[in-house]
């Protein structure tokens, strides 16, 4: 696990976009894992800018979203299918047919979850997975108590997560109780994961996930088991880390050949 402490969202967006750009240049049909929520938005804007300005090419790329609400009608503006299109994939030249989102409207939920796992595997697995983290330590929507080897499945949101996400809806009552989410085992299969967290409200979560025990009470702590996990945080989100100085020192003195 590498912790990269940067001044703010702008620098995080630039560095994460660099990683995606290098990947696409090496592997034009790379499989990207996409998170929704606020944390990755600056990264998506930076990628859209590079697409427009520099011709960064997504024409062969494939993408899999982490999760989707259950029960929102098709086309609901806050369904993650709509959000990911609006915030990212609709702003670059990725083929809509190559953008996959779990089917939260499926009549047969277990079959839809298995189909999602199968589609990721058929695509050759995720090359780079972007992640945010919930204040309760969830990644995807793997709430506390999720199995560390879980696969795509239905989960019930904790009330704290519903309250956190109510800002996207007209009222708390409209936030669904259920979601489909890639499991922690699914996320661990990605070849590289980049988790982004900003702001003081994430400081304790970042400490738990980076320096706490690997435990289902903080699902994101499972990333300590990942061979290539990059945790990008701003100063506020890093403010509770015990080893912050060591992470800064390691990053500042990193051999250039290592890349990200
Ligand atoms: C969304 C997702 C969630 C969010 C998390 C943080 O697809 O998987 O895990 O990343 O809830 O959300 P923000 O970034 O809005 O704080």
């Amino acid at each position: 696990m590498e912790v990269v402490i940067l001044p703010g969202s702008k620098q995080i967006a630039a560095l994460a976009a660099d990683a995606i750009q290098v990947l696409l240049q090496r592997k034009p049909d790379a499989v990207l894992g996409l998170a929704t929520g606020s944390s990755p938005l600056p990264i998506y804007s930076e990628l859209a800018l590079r697409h427009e300005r520099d011709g960064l090419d997504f024409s062969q790329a494939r993408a899999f979203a982490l999760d989707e609400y259950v029960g929102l009608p098709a086309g609901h503006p806050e369904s993650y299918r709509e959000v990911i299109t609006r915030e990212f994939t609709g702003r670059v030249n990725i083929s809509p047919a190559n953008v996959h989102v779990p089917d939260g409207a499926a009549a047969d939920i277990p079959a839809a979850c298995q189909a999602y796992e199968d589609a990721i595997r058929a695509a050759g697995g995720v090359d780079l997975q972007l992640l945010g983290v919930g204040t309760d330590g969830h990644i995807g929507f793997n709430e506390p108590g999720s199995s560390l080897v879980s696969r795509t499945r239905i989960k019930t949101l904790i009330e704290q997560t519903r309250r956190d996400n109510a800002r996207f809806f007209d009222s708390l009552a409209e936030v669904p109780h259920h979601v489909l989410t890639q499991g922690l085992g699914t996320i661990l299969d990605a070849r590289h994961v980049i988790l982004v967290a900003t702001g003081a409200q994430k400081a304790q979560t970042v400490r738990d996930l980076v320096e706490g025990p690997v435990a289902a009470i903080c699902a994101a702590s499972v990333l300590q088991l990942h061979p290539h996990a990059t945790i990008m945080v701003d100063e506020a989100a890093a403010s509770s880390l015990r080893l912050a100085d060591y992470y800064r020192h390691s990053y500042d003195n990193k051999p250039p050949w290592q890349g990200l």
Side-chain angles (χ1 to χ4, degrees), residues 34-40 66-67 80 131-134 138-141 161 165 167-168 202:
L34 304 177
T36 43
S38 307
S39 305
L66 272 174
D67 38 25
Y80 283 172
L131 296 172
V133 63
H138 69 237
I139 50 176
F141 275 130
T161 302
N165 286 5
R167 68 191 191 279
F168 298 113
K202 298 279 175 79

Side-chain angles (χ1 to χ4, degrees), residues 44 103 166 181 213:
Y44 296 148
D103 182 2
T181 180

Side-chain angles (χ1 to χ4, degrees), residues 98-155:
N98 285 345
V99 180
H100 305 270
V101 181
D103 182 2
D108 185 341
I109 293 281
C113 293
Q114 186 58 52
Y116 204 63
E117 288 281 329
D118 294 345
I120 294 173
R121 199 163 301 116
V126 172
D127 290 298
L128 193 158
Q129 177 67 58
L130 288 176
L131 296 172
V133 63
T135 51
D136 65 3
H138 69 237
I139 50 176
F141 275 130
N142 294 281
E143 296 285 28
S146 291
S147 160
L148 302 183
V149 294
S150 49
R151 312 302 304 188
T152 303
R153 70 214 181 289
I154 191 167
K155 285 295 287 183

Side-chain angles (χ1 to χ4, degrees), residues 27 29 48 60 66 72 91 157 170 198-200 205 234 243:
K27 184 177 180 187
D29 66 346
Q60 295 178 60
L66 272 174
L72 291 184
R91 301 164 71 191
L157 293 178
D170 289 336
T198 54
T205 313
D234 67 0
L243 298 180

